[in-house]
Amino acid sequence: MRWKRRSVAKVVLTGTLIAAVLPPSIDWEMVYASTTSSANVVRSDQELQKTLLSAMNQRLSQVQFVYQGKTNQLKGQLKDALEQALESDPYMNYTIESYGYSYSGSTKSANVSVQLSYRETAAQTAYVSRRVQSILGSIIKPGMNDHEKVKVIHDWIVLNLKYDETLRKYTAYDGLSSGSTVCQGYSLLAYKMLKDAGITNRIVEGTAAPRDTGISQLHAWNLVLLDGKWYHLDTTWDDPAPDKAGEIGTGYYLRTDGQMKKDHSWTKSYPAANTLYRNTLTKLISQKDSHQGFYKKLEHALEYQLYEPSEIVSSSSQLRTKVRGVIKEKGHSLLFRYHGSHEDLMDDLQDLYRLGVNSISYVESELDETNDLRVYVTWK
């Protein structure tokens, strides 16, 4: 099945950097010391970061404090502190809409003002937290391991959100309250749900180029850590567009860097994802523990059975044999791996009419990491 790709949008943080250093004719350090308390005096980079992050968590639009220390590099210190505060909290990083700062003072002390704007209010973020806890409470069952948790979280997001074609909704709050958001909202909600479920993950920002258009667009998705291995998870691109109730895509479920780079790209440094999840599942299934049934079901949902030699079809006789088996079970569809050209496939599909079936339809696509085709055929 081909999933329609969609336009994506991402918020870009912009800072208005204003630095006004007054002549040191007034002893500002003494003035500030006499008019302010120690509660709003900052003396180190660590305190800078802590102060800024605290203001962000309270959704303050402005924070003012006195910086005591050498101010000749304060501009760079403020910029670094803001970036480090945001990097320390990925959810906040993509909830901030913009920031700016200004300062004035002497070489030993400065009065600093930081302006902040947000895409989500404190009340809205609190709503997200409550809803996430409620959702996790309903979908995560006792005894589930991280592999099972990732799957139910992925599926809940895909089934309950749809892509915001207006490109005006950017947050997890938008997604939960209205049912639609852009890729940033998908990845923020996935980050929050995975994190609250105890699963380490990161938000990846980059671009994606749908294979049907080849046009790169800003995009965001997640990296998930499972059993010490990182995997890409793109809930946006696993959600069909236009939205189709009850349908869940898996084409971007726990992928490697190599698999993602076919239509995704990123420039920032992220943990390497170089483990094939189908190999991971094979090892997990071989352990024959209480989760084996889930692993086998997931293996089938991800269509990893197509990598088994027995699934390869390379002749009309092999295809007829498989279709006969499905017909015997009163089925009307078959998913298989085809080794051959498009023209050969057309001939072999046409040959199926000899079995007495009607209205043959099919969808074909490249099968990852092979020279073969993934083919889904239906008939009446």
Side-chain angles (χ1 to χ4, degrees), residues 231-262:
Y231 304 91
H232 293 269
L233 181 73
D234 192 339
T235 52
T236 308
W237 273 33
D238 272 348
D239 198 359
D243 192 65
K244 297 179 181 178
E247 292 198 17
I248 302 171
T250 57
Y252 296 87
Y253 186 87
L254 302 185
R255 309 291 275 174
T256 65
D257 287 343
Q259 290 171 325
M260 290 296 284
K261 284 180 178 178
K262 293 180 180 179

Side-chain angles (χ1 to χ4, degrees), residues 40 43 50 59 61 77 80 122 138 144 158 163 167 200 208 218 236 271 281 289 297-298 302 309 326 364:
N40 61 348
R43 297 180 176 84
K50 183 177 179 181
R59 296 299 191 276
S61 60
Q77 289 174 276
D80 289 344
S138 66
M144 276 188 172
V158 171
Y163 193 78
L167 307 182
T200 299
L218 294 174
T236 308
L281 272 184
D289 60 15
K297 185 177 179 181
L298 180 57
L302 298 176
V326 175
E364 68 170 282

Side-chain angles (χ1 to χ4, degrees), residues 174-282:
D174 289 327
L176 289 175
S177 63
S178 72
S180 66
T181 183
V182 298
C183 60
Q184 181 171 296
Y186 275 79
S187 57
L188 276 167
L189 182 56
Y191 172 83
K192 179 66 173 173
M193 292 180 72
L194 290 166
K195 180 176 180 291
D196 284 9
I199 299 168
T200 299
N201 76 103
R202 297 185 62 173
I203 295 175
V204 181
E205 62 177 83
T207 60
R211 297 177 190 178
D212 53 353
T213 67
I215 301 174
S216 292
Q217 300 163 329
L218 294 174
H219 193 45
W221 62 99
N222 300 80
L223 269 171
V224 180
L225 184 65
L226 283 173
D227 299 336
K229 306 294 183 182
W230 287 95
Y231 304 91
H232 293 269
L233 181 73
D234 192 339
T235 52
T236 308
W237 273 33
D238 272 348
D239 198 359
D243 192 65
K244 297 179 181 178
E247 292 198 17
I248 302 171
T250 57
Y252 296 87
Y253 186 87
L254 302 185
R255 309 291 275 174
T256 65
D257 287 343
Q259 290 171 325
M260 290 296 284
K261 284 180 178 178
K262 293 180 180 179
D263 43 32
H264 289 56
S265 63
W266 53 96
T267 55
K268 289 186 177 181
S269 178
Y270 296 103
N274 50 26
T275 301
L276 287 170
Y277 192 60
R278 69 171 182 269
N279 291 342
T280 297
L281 272 184
T282 298

Side-chain angles (χ1 to χ4, degrees), residues 43-235:
R43 297 180 176 84
S44 67
D45 291 347
Q46 184 177 6
E47 289 182 4
L48 266 179
Q49 182 178 337
K50 183 177 179 181
T51 297
L52 293 170
L53 190 56
S54 175
M56 293 173 188
N57 285 328
Q58 297 175 67
R59 296 299 191 276
L60 299 180
S61 60
Q62 185 178 53
V63 55
Q64 295 179 322
F65 55 88
V66 175
Y67 179 80
Q68 291 187 348
K70 295 181 179 179
T71 61
N72 59 326
Q73 296 183 354
L74 184 55
K75 179 179 178 179
Q77 289 174 276
L78 285 168
K79 182 175 181 295
D80 289 344
L82 279 162
E83 292 178 351
Q84 289 169 12
L86 292 172
E87 288 296 328
S88 71
D89 186 342
Y91 192 90
M92 181 64 68
N93 192 1
Y94 294 93
T95 301
I96 286 280
E97 183 173 19
S98 65
Y99 64 79
Y101 55 80
S102 60
Y103 63 86
S104 60
S106 70
T107 58
K108 296 181 180 180
S109 186
N111 195 19
V112 180
S113 178
V114 179
Q115 296 75 42
L116 303 159
S117 64
Y118 310 87
R119 292 194 179 277
E120 229 177 54
T121 67
Q124 289 171 341
T125 299
Y127 170 86
V128 171
S129 295
R130 291 194 303 272
R131 280 293 310 278
V132 165
Q133 286 302 310
S134 175
I135 294 165
L136 293 178
S138 66
I139 65 175
I140 294 181
K141 308 303 180 184
M144 276 188 172
N145 63 20
D146 285 351
H147 294 266
E148 292 167 305
K149 292 176 184 178
V150 170
K151 185 61 168 63
V152 295
I153 288 171
H154 167 273
D155 291 359
W156 192 95
I157 292 172
V158 171
L159 288 173
N160 289 277
L161 297 188
K162 61 181 179 180
Y163 193 78
D164 172 34
E165 301 290 350
T166 69
L167 307 182
R168 295 176 180 175
K169 302 175 183 179
Y170 295 90
T171 67
Y173 174 80
D174 289 327
L176 289 175
S177 63
S178 72
S180 66
T181 183
V182 298
C183 60
Q184 181 171 296
Y186 275 79
S187 57
L188 276 167
L189 182 56
Y191 172 83
K192 179 66 173 173
M193 292 180 72
L194 290 166
K195 180 176 180 291
D196 284 9
I199 299 168
T200 299
N201 76 103
R202 297 185 62 173
I203 295 175
V204 181
E205 62 177 83
T207 60
R211 297 177 190 178
D212 53 353
T213 67
I215 301 174
S216 292
Q217 300 163 329
L218 294 174
H219 193 45
W221 62 99
N222 300 80
L223 269 171
V224 180
L225 184 65
L226 283 173
D227 299 336
K229 306 294 183 182
W230 287 95
Y231 304 91
H232 293 269
L233 181 73
D234 192 339
T235 52

